Structure formats: structure tokens, C-alpha cells
Amino acid sequence: MAPRSKTSATPSSPTAGRGSGKRAVVIGAGVGGAAIAARLAHQGFQVSVYEKNTFSGGRCSLIEKDGFRFDQGPSMYLMPKIFEETFADLGEKLSDHLELKRCDPNYRVHFHDGDKMHLSSDLAEMRNELERLEPGSYDKFLAFLKESHAHYGFSIQSVLRRNFEKFTDMITWDNVSSLHKLHMQSSFYGRAAAYFQSDKLRKAFTFQSMYMGMSPFDAPGTYTLLPYTEFAEGIWYPKGGFHRVVDRLEYLAKQRGAEFHYGKPVAKINTTTGPVANAGSVPHATGVTLEDGTVVSADLVVVNADLVWTYNNLLPPSSYARRLTNKQQTSSSFTFYWGLKRKVPELDAHNLFLAEKYRDSFDSIFLKNTLPDECSFYIHAPSRMDPAAAPPGKEAIMVLVPTGCLPDDPSAMSAAEWANMQARAKKDVLRVLQARTGVDFAPLIETEIINTPQTWQAKFNLHQGSILGLAHSVPQVLWFRPSTRHADFKNVFFVGASTHPGTGVPVVLYGARLVAQQIARAVQGGKAGLYASQAGSNMVAILALLAVIVAVVTGVVCAQGGCATLSALLGA
Ligand SMILES: Cc1cc2nc3c(=O)[nH]c(=O)nc-3n(C[C@H](O)[C@H](O)[C@H](O)COP(=O)(O)OP(=O)(O)OC[C@H]3O[C@@H](n4cnc5c(N)ncnc54)[C@H](O)[C@@H]3O)c2cc1C
């Protein structure tokens, strides 16, 4: 694992002026790019953002066609406090920028037998629903919430608000003493099964692992924090679409002097091993070259483009870049954006249609890397929350059908096979919709746009078309997740779904905060702080850790009169 540099565990509030006019180039205007641009501009950097597409937001953008408006990706605004903190860090009040509406109920879950369940933040309503499906389950639900509340509290405080640049950053008293409460060794599904007997309730409290792009049978039990945040903090929707978040961040970045350049793909991060004042001759980035040949120089580069793609396409070839391609990715999807000829009251704002063979449906995606025989899918109807999303009397819906990521070898499946798979996904969705809502959607579709795994890959440079980036399995989180700072080119930083802390809009927003703090600390250290290599720091940290462990063990054993045995074991 490549060495990383010093970190601070406590987030500091951003201070204007720290950047002292240094030039920062940001690659990509996704939510991560817009958020870091706003923060760096607020800190006094000269910020230039280069985005390959002609629109902002990346996955968090809008698609508009024939009077219909669709959220390209995110539709569930969760963890509202993180959004508030982001605006507060910029000296702004979120309510001055976003008009939020709370979804009530949170969503409707449709089971294979036609039964439906409303999941709500209203406890009285939940009690009725739970007791109907499994008598006595309301008390268990409260106990499940208590456990998942603990997961949530720990994750916010000790994971999302911290960076892990050194191995030893993970080893705090809080982390060690809380480990057993986090259920990292159990699966998400296993935790729900510990509380509920009913197959339907187990499903209703576990499909949320897909927000992290993981199967509930593989995702660690800690991620039950997701159903917790839905119940405790609610699901919200910004008027005008989710993209409004990015739009306002861009506005605040521009107010602070940042420039945004659209339709300007970056072709290369320019690097050198030339001399740097006060830091000797160290590898560093000098800026970027755009696809049109323009060279843009910078004191530092922040990459918001997909991390695995960037290491393999914008940075010099390395063994680390190749290793990244073998890491576990989340899923891809066939996503259908349908403008419907009439309102469909049979749908809520958020709807889940779960497969009868629930486990098989996840295994097909994550183990076989393909489309399940029987799909579980999600439908978002933005026009149910915000009528402006569709022409009067009509409905805009987005149908997200998760599928496996693209294979490494593009020729592994022919174009005809992909077309068949897409047709099968659509047919399955229409069949299930008719069976479970009684509505034949096929003749209602007036406008259709489809994002396939290939679309996701090409439109946003997402490695293997993975819509949520690198998976959040235990070996790919905390210090084990690709660092927010390049190991060799110390003035190259990463923000977004595949670096720490991970995927999802609020999580990426916290990532931007961590990177802004990291850059501020680096700049405070002068040229040496921004460029100097900290090679060996992890090795030193690991040796120090080993020394501590040996010292502790020695102390314990000696206290028990076992020094002679220990000395013999150590060969002393
Ligand atoms: C279908 C779907 C549903 C989702 N649902 C939710 C949800 O309900 N709630 C939630 O919180 N999250 C959700 N997510 C996840 C969320 O959208 C992502 O985690 C988040 O938007 C990632 O933001 P990012 O800034 O890391 O990356 P991106 O959005 O990928 O931004 C990176 C930007 O870099 C640009 N770029 C790439 N290469 C270059 C280059 N060479 N030069 C210049 N620019 C480049 C891209 O065009 C893009 O604009 C969903 C995602 C998808 C796809």
C-alpha cells in the first residue's frame, strides 16, 4: 500500500484566506467538484473547474426532454444535516438556497405477491404496518432502530468526519472500543434477520444496502444506519430537482471567484520530478492538459472524475493504477426515464419492487455480474413531489434496474447481447408493474431515455459503468479505501464517490470537506507541505504500532510473571 501523509482527526472550520491565491484546478463538476470548488474558493484559492460535459452535476445532473424533467441519478436526499453543514461552512444558510419537501410516506414497497407496505417516519403508521406483517414486530423494530442508531452515530463521528491517511489513524480508543457494537462481521441482512422473522420485513429493512451499491448479504451490518437515517431524519426532495444542490454550490463557488469551464475534457494531469522551491526535487503535478491541447498550470490539482478511471487514463501508468482495476466495484444499471401520458397515482414518489427470489437477484448482480432473471427495481416519480417535473396532467418517472458492471474485456458480450439484456430489463419491469399496480405502463410511455452500463461509462467516465464507484466492503473502507491524496504526486487530491469516505451525495459532500481541510493543512506547511513526499510514514507508523502492541503484551505478561517465556518466544 502506498504511503500517505499526516492527518488531523478533528475537522477545523474553513478559514477564508488560507489559499493565498494559489491556483487550484478541479477536474469534473460533479457534486464533489462543485463542493470542493466552493470550499477552496472560500479559502482563498484561485479555482478553475474543467468539466467534460456541457452540463454540471455529473451523476447528480438533470435530464430534460419534451417538458419532462428527470434526476439523472440521485433522488433520495438523505442525511439532511450534512447538507446544512456544507452550506454553513461556506457562511451560508441552506434554506436561503434550497426549498426542501419531506416525502411522506418515505416509500412504498411492493412485494412479489402483490402485498404492499408503506415505510414511514410516522411511528403510529409503522406500528400498523409492522404488526400486520409480523405480530409483535413493532418492539423489535424499535430495538433494530436503537442498534442502527448506534451504527449511524459512530459512522458520522468516526468515519465520515475523519480522514484516514495513515494506517494508525484507524486505531483510536473510540474505534477499538466500539468495534463490537458495529456488527462489521455480520451482514446487513443478518442484522435484520436477528430482529424480524417475516421475509417481507427482512426485505423491507435491507434493500437500502443498494444505496451503497452492495448486496445486503455482503454489506457489513454497520450499514443498517441507512434505514435508520430514513426513519429518523426522513427522505427529502429539493424543489427543482436534486441537481439544485450542485447548482447552488457552483453559484457560491463563482461568487467567491471560481471559474467553471464546460465541454472541456481533461486529457492528462501533467507531472514532473523537477525541482520545487523548499521541497527539493520531488514528483509533483504542474497542472493539466485539456483534450483541445490547452495547458493549464496549477499549484494543485483536485480530481473529481472517477478515481479508478483517472489513475488509468490521466495519471502516468503505475502498478497501483492496475491494482485499482481489480478492486470490487458496486453495480451498474439500466435506467429508464419515462415521460408518461397521464398521472399514475398507483406510484408514490419512491417505490421499490422487490423480487421473490431476493437473494438470487443480488447474487446475479454481484457474483455473476449480470442482470437477474427476476429483477428488483426502484422507481422515482419526481412529479409526485414537484409537479413542475412534468407537463400538467402527466408524470415523469425514472426506473432504476440494477445490473452487473461492464466486463473488463469489452468483447465479452456482443452489442446484440447487450440489446437483448436491455429489452429483457424493460419487459420485466413492465410485466411486474402490470402485475403489482394493475397498470399497463407500455402504452403510457410518451418519451423515453435509457442509460445503459455503456452510457454511464461513456457519459461520466465511470470505470466499468459502475454507478456508485468502488464498493464499501470492509477491505475497501477507512484507510483501505484509495486515499484522498496521491501517494507520490502530493499536490494531487481526490474527491468523490470512489475515494474516502465514499458514495452518495451527502457522503461526497463530507469528502469535499475533508479534502479542503487536508489542502489547507498542506498549504499551511508551505511549499514543502504541499509537495513533499512523506515516504515511509506508514511503515514508521506500522512499526510504532507493533512496538506499542509488543510493549502492551510485554507489560501484561510481565505483570503476570511470564517475562521469561515471552523473552524465549521473542528469541531474546
Ligand atoms: C442512478 C443513480 C442513483 C443514485 N441515487 C442516489 C440517491 O438517491 N441519493 C444519493 O445521495 N446518491 C445517489 N447516487 C449516488 C450519487 O449520485 C453519487 O455518489 C454522486 O453523485 C457522485 O458524485 P461525484 O462528484 O463523486 O462524481 P460524478 O457525479 O461522477 O462527477 C464527476 C464529474 O467528472 C466529470 N469528468 C469525468 N472525466 C472527466 C475529464 N477527463 N475531464 C473533465 N471532467 C471529467 C464527469 O463528467 C462528472 O461530471 C445515485 C447514483 C446513480 C448513478
Side-chain angles (χ1 to χ4, degrees), residues 134 143 232 269 492 495 549:
E134 182 184 327
I269 297 174
V492 175
V495 66
I549 293 170

Side-chain angles (χ1 to χ4, degrees), residues 30 32 50-53 58-59 74-76 266 304 461 496-497 503-505:
Y50 292 91
E51 162 60 49
K52 83 184 265 285
N53 288 307
R59 282 168 266 189
S75 55
M76 291 192 180
V266 171
N304 174 225
N461 285 338
T503 201
V505 175

Side-chain angles (χ1 to χ4, degrees), residues 9-46:
T10 332
S12 57
S13 61
T15 314
R18 274 185 197 159
S20 322
K22 284 200 162 38
R23 293 156 307 160
V25 160
V26 177
I27 306 175
V31 66
I36 194 71
R39 285 178 176 279
L40 291 182
H42 192 63
Q43 287 177 199
F45 288 85
Q46 275 179 49

Side-chain angles (χ1 to χ4, degrees), residues 27-33 50-53 55 57-60 72-77 242 264-267 304-306 309 314 333 335 398 400 456 459-462 467-468 495-497 503-506 508:
I27 306 175
V31 66
Y50 292 91
E51 162 60 49
K52 83 184 265 285
N53 288 307
F55 55 88
R59 282 168 266 189
C60 188
Q72 178 123 232
S75 55
M76 291 192 180
Y77 183 106
F242 213 129
K264 294 280 177 195
V266 171
N304 174 225
D306 181 67
W309 183 87
L314 300 185
S333 73
T335 311
M398 177 259 256
L400 196 165
W456 289 114
K459 212 190 271 190
F460 301 116
N461 285 338
L462 301 178
I467 57 171
L468 297 166
V495 66
T503 201
V505 175
V508 170

Side-chain angles (χ1 to χ4, degrees), residues 59 65 82-83 132 203 246 259 264 320 412 433 437:
R59 282 168 266 189
K65 195 178 172 208
I82 298 183
F83 294 82
R132 178 176 68 79
K203 288 176 177 170
V246 183
E259 292 172 358
K264 294 280 177 195
Y320 183 60
L433 281 175
T437 67

